[in-house]
Amino acid sequence: MSSIPIELTPLDRVRAATPELEWGLLDDTIEAIQRLKVERNAIVLAHNYMTPDIFHGVADHQGDSLGLARLAAESTADVIVFAGVHFMAETAKILCPDKTVLIPDLEAGCSLAESITAADVRQLRERHPGVPVVTYVNTSAAVKAETDICCTSSNAVAVVESLGVDKVIFLPDRYLGSYVATQTDVEIVLWDGSCEVHERFTGDELRQYRAETPGIEIIAHPECPPDVLDEADFVGSTAGMIGYVTEHRPSKVVMVTECSMSDNVAAELPDVDFIRPCNLCPHMKRITLTNIRTALEKMRYEVHVATDVADRARVAVERMLAISGTR
Ligand code: 13P
Ligand code: SF4
């Protein structure tokens, strides 16, 4: 038997994660999307939580929030189809006001983005005069427009420390904010938002996995509660988690995050055993191969951000992208 590793094509990776009965329909839809992308001079940007048919089958680029924002800004395509949630598509539109940005389902939201409004940020500023506001990108454009600088889960500590102050307001994820507070001496004023997917994991459940599966590595997203992060061997953004598993090749691993992450990486790393206590993000799962095809056929749903809001929000996003090591 040969020991030479066989390079998998994108279609092989999709098929590896799909029942054989569905392959015919899948192949047709993927082919239609690839043709439409050429006709429209479009690209598909896919977040790491997309299902394998999207992630491996039709995405031109995959990544975390930071990586996708950067790719949107650099793209020469006329049309960006955002396979992710609404705040991500809005960030792409803020950075690329002249491009057409489409999201296949307008209801693809986020519990963090829902947890805070622009008026809330103005009130916080009144309560903490002179304290800069650092805003996680999981927020609406209107909230970004009220803030000094944005961050993502992969650069939050660097962004907070870049300001050279001893106190910041950090919005809206209380768990990401608490995690940042453990990594810096800067005092963090928190907001009470949380991710409905990551807040459901518990430290107890992870301790049970450790007891049941000796040698297991636990890697977690910083939107998880502190007792979960205390149990983790590595904490990082979705791209950071994929990078860790790809580099370290643990024999058994649990990715404490959204379910599609393990599905996507497992297709590429057959030597790693993914143990799966995972939670589905109902918002991310609104994006399907079928509605991506419809988005390109009907050029819907176009994401709009009012010019004055986009101009102010862009300052906060570009400040983040300009910080050394984050761009
Ligand atoms: P990442 O930036 O780590 O991909 O996180 C985005 C997100 O929504 C995680 O729930
Ligand atoms: Fe928002 Fe959580 Fe879904 Fe990410 S996983 S999009 S933070 S609800």
Side-chain angles (χ1 to χ4, degrees), residues 47 49 85 87-88 109-113 136 138 173 194-198 221 223 257-258 279-284:
H47 185 261
Y49 291 164
V85 289
F87 76 80
M88 297 178 177
C110 170
S111 65
L112 279 168
Y136 191 28
N138 294 38
D173 186 355
S194 59
C195 161
E196 68 188 80
V197 176
H198 290 92
H221 195 276
E223 289 171 7
T257 189
E258 214 275 344
N279 291 327
L280 278 173
C281 173
H283 311 291
M284 291 279 182

Side-chain angles (χ1 to χ4, degrees), residues 25-45:
L25 180 60
L26 199 72
D27 292 357
D28 289 350
T29 314
I30 289 174
E31 206 182 294
I33 292 172
Q34 301 296 21
R35 180 174 33 80
L36 284 159
K37 284 197 300 189
V38 176
E39 282 170 25
R40 306 281 195 203
N41 187 25
I43 55 166
V44 174
L45 296 184

Side-chain angles (χ1 to χ4, degrees), residues 159-225:
V159 166
V160 164
E161 297 201 329
S162 75
L163 298 174
V165 295
D166 50 21
K167 186 175 178 179
V168 302
I169 299 167
F170 189 96
L171 310 173
D173 186 355
R174 67 176 185 274
Y175 293 135
L176 178 60
S178 316
Y179 174 70
V180 172
T182 67
Q183 307 294 306
T184 178
D185 291 334
V186 179
E187 187 187 339
I188 310 282
V189 178
L190 296 172
W191 181 254
D192 199 18
S194 59
C195 161
E196 68 188 80
V197 176
H198 290 92
E199 71 180 352
R200 302 211 306 269
F201 293 108
T202 66
D204 279 348
E205 117 191 71
L206 296 181
R207 279 186 286 278
Q208 196 178 329
Y209 277 102
R210 267 210 208 282
E212 285 168 359
T213 317
I216 194 169
E217 285 204 38
I218 296 177
I219 61 174
H221 195 276
E223 289 171 7
C224 295

Side-chain angles (χ1 to χ4, degrees), residues 138-303:
N138 294 38
T139 44
S140 66
V143 165
K144 289 183 177 75
E146 296 292 333
T147 70
D148 295 285
I149 187 164
C150 286
C151 73
T152 71
S153 55
S154 66
N155 62 16
V157 177
V159 166
V160 164
E161 297 201 329
S162 75
L163 298 174
V165 295
D166 50 21
K167 186 175 178 179
V168 302
I169 299 167
F170 189 96
L171 310 173
D173 186 355
R174 67 176 185 274
Y175 293 135
L176 178 60
S178 316
Y179 174 70
V180 172
T182 67
Q183 307 294 306
T184 178
D185 291 334
V186 179
E187 187 187 339
I188 310 282
V189 178
L190 296 172
W191 181 254
D192 199 18
S194 59
C195 161
E196 68 188 80
V197 176
H198 290 92
E199 71 180 352
R200 302 211 306 269
F201 293 108
T202 66
D204 279 348
E205 117 191 71
L206 296 181
R207 279 186 286 278
Q208 196 178 329
Y209 277 102
R210 267 210 208 282
E212 285 168 359
T213 317
I216 194 169
E217 285 204 38
I218 296 177
I219 61 174
H221 195 276
E223 289 171 7
C224 295
D227 65 328
V228 169
L229 300 184
D230 285 348
E231 283 302 317
D233 299 301
F234 174 80
V235 175
S237 75
T238 56
M241 293 169 81
I242 293 173
Y244 181 91
V245 178
T246 307
E247 196 181 319
H248 292 257
R249 302 284 172 112
S251 57
K252 292 170 193 151
V253 69
V254 51
M255 286 180 134
V256 190
T257 189
E258 214 275 344
C259 301
S260 290
M261 283 272 288
S262 294
D263 298 340
N264 289 329
V265 194
E268 298 187 63
L269 302 177
D271 49 327
V272 179
D273 184 6
F274 290 86
I275 315 288
R276 304 186 193 214
C278 62
N279 291 327
L280 278 173
C281 173
H283 311 291
M284 291 279 182
K285 294 287 110 72
R286 295 189 86 99
I287 309 300
T288 64
L289 212 52
T290 307
N291 62 23
I292 290 174
R293 178 182 183 165
T294 309
L296 279 163
E297 281 168 350
K298 303 196 170 169
M299 292 296 283
R300 74 178 194 199
Y301 296 95
E302 196 171 343
V303 175

